[in-house]
Amino acid sequence: GVHNALLESIKIMHDETKVTRNAIPEILSNALSIRFSTSVGHDYIDDADERYEQYQLRDEKIPFDIDMFNNATEGGFERKSLNVLMGSTGTGKTLIMCHMAAAAFLRGYNVLYLTMEMSKIKISKRIDSNLINVPMSEINNLQKPSFQSKIKRVSDKTSGKLIVEEFPTSGANALHFKALIEDLKIKKKFIPDVIFIDYINICSSSRLKAHVASNPYVYVKAIAEEIRGLAVEYNACVISATQVNRAGFNNSDVDLDHTSDSWGLPHTVDYMAVIISNEELALLNQMMIKELKTRYSAST
């Protein structure tokens, strides 16, 4: 195993494969791994009592203040999961994620918001608007003492932390996010409960080279798998977004077929919903959210 891993790593170093050098640590780590567990599998008959006890335990849920999501997911999103909102440009994907980030923060969760489209100041301004209840257009006009007083009131309401960081478009992958989290653990004693990634299609893969992006199914699926792996590694709930394709842009009944770039994304996620907007809903200042896929319940 180790011999083959070394040979594979040498091929990668000589640029003879489709994967990048970032894949080498994982290849070697898997080859060098030693199994210390005394478990040799779950015995269906002998371990039935243990299995029953596990059935009685409820997966820890991270609820939000949007009842639709809580009802559809039977209490909220789970840790170690990847959840994606889909929508056309301008339908409010970032708006919803900023709202959800603010709500999770107020509930005492540690929230990490990673943006690759807007600057971290623009994202923070949207979160400010949610937390201090001031329209974005008026935040700039607040006097500093008033702003500081409102932030102090927010701070007094929660035990959580909220970190916002930006990365270049298509220039960041799961390894960059992991490096940031490890840095935050050391410098701020911060481990995220919820990670927002805005948005998944403009991440890069840590394993596959950029030219593989010509095969969107393979490349986007790899990105989704790597980010879901990040959720599992840090016991966090990851929430991201994706665009609808051209066919779904003006469609009033968007479904999984309208996922932009790759069917590999809905194949990988734990939960997926689409944000639908039209002129009638806009006049009512409303939007419609349709569930497309869930691993949380039998409902669809």
Side-chain angles (χ1 to χ4, degrees):
V2 174
H3 177 75
N4 290 335
L6 289 172
L7 290 177
E8 181 67 17
S9 299
I10 291 171
K11 289 181 180 179
I12 294 171
M13 291 294 293
H14 286 88
D15 206 26
E16 296 175 6
T17 70
K18 292 183 179 180
V19 300
T20 68
R21 296 183 180 186
N22 291 328
I24 292 177
E26 182 180 355
I27 292 171
L28 294 176
S29 176
N30 291 337
L32 292 169
S33 62
I34 301 174
R35 182 181 174 87
F36 291 106
S37 173
T38 57
S39 171
V40 288
H42 180 87
D43 189 299
Y44 182 79
I45 299 299
D46 293 346
D47 296 330
D49 288 347
E50 177 187 343
R51 184 167 69 254
Y52 178 81
E53 295 301 322
Q54 290 294 319
Y55 289 161
Q56 309 314 306
L57 299 177
R58 288 186 173 270
D59 291 321
E60 182 183 354
K61 298 282 189 174
I62 296 181
F64 296 93
D65 66 341
I66 300 177
D67 290 338
M68 188 283 298
F69 283 124
N70 292 331
N71 292 336
T73 58
E74 299 186 351
F77 294 152
E78 296 176 3
R79 293 181 183 270
K80 301 182 180 181
S81 68
L82 173 58
N83 311 273
V84 172
L85 303 176
M86 181 168 69
S88 303
T89 300
T91 52
K93 299 184 295 296
T94 295
L95 181 72
I96 290 178
M97 288 198 292
C98 286
H99 176 86
M100 295 172 80
F105 170 59
L106 282 180
R107 287 180 180 267
Y109 292 107
N110 283 344
V111 179
L112 178 61
Y113 198 112
L114 306 175
T115 173
M116 280 146 283
E117 191 169 42
M118 294 185 184
S119 71
K120 55 188 172 185
I121 296 302
K122 288 183 178 179
I123 292 296
S124 297
K125 190 175 185 180
R126 283 160 172 75
I127 294 174
D128 266 333
S129 183
N130 278 275
L131 291 174
I132 66 178
N133 198 28
V134 174
M136 284 196 298
S137 59
E138 298 178 18
I139 289 178
N140 291 354
N141 299 324
L142 284 176
Q143 296 295 314
K144 189 172 182 179
S146 175
F147 179 75
Q148 290 174 327
S149 174
K150 291 178 183 296
I151 294 298
K152 176 65 166 58
R153 285 199 291 272
V154 171
S155 177
D156 291 341
K157 292 179 181 178
T158 181
S159 59
K161 288 184 179 181
L162 172 59
I163 304 290
V164 182
E165 184 58 289
E166 64 182 274
F167 290 90
T169 301
S170 300
N173 58 53
L175 290 182
H176 295 107
F177 305 151
K178 180 177 179 178
L180 172 64
I181 294 171
E182 291 299 321
D183 214 20
L184 288 169
K185 283 170 63 176
I186 296 170
K187 295 179 179 177
K188 292 184 175 288
K189 300 187 183 331
F190 173 94
I191 301 175
D193 299 299
V194 190
I195 303 171
F196 291 85
I197 298 177
D198 193 359
Y199 57 97
I200 196 166
N201 292 67
I202 52 176
C203 296
S204 60
S205 170
S206 63
R207 296 177 295 169
L208 302 182
K209 295 176 182 177
H211 72 81
V212 183
S214 60
N215 185 335
Y217 178 89
V218 173
Y219 197 72
V220 175
K221 190 172 191 296
I223 294 171
E225 289 170 348
E226 291 159 19
I227 289 177
R228 193 175 187 281
L230 191 76
V232 172
E233 182 173 356
Y234 288 101
N235 192 34
C237 165
V238 174
I239 300 168
S240 190
T242 189
Q243 299 273 19
V244 299
N245 60 22
R246 186 176 300 178
F249 192 79
N250 293 314
N251 196 315
S252 60
D253 190 24
V254 180
D255 57 31
L256 289 176
D257 289 335
H258 297 116
T259 305
S260 177
D261 293 335
S262 172
W263 250 86
L265 182 57
H267 283 171
T268 306
V269 301
D270 297 281
Y271 184 88
M272 194 167 189
V274 62
I275 304 164
I276 299 173
S277 182
N278 54 42
E279 291 182 3
E280 293 179 4
L281 289 171
L283 289 173
L284 296 171
N285 199 26
Q286 295 178 349
M287 60 180 63
M288 181 168 65
I289 298 178
K290 174 184 175 182
E291 183 179 275
L292 300 179
K293 176 187 176 180
T294 180
R295 288 175 176 164
Y296 298 137
S297 69
S299 63
T300 56

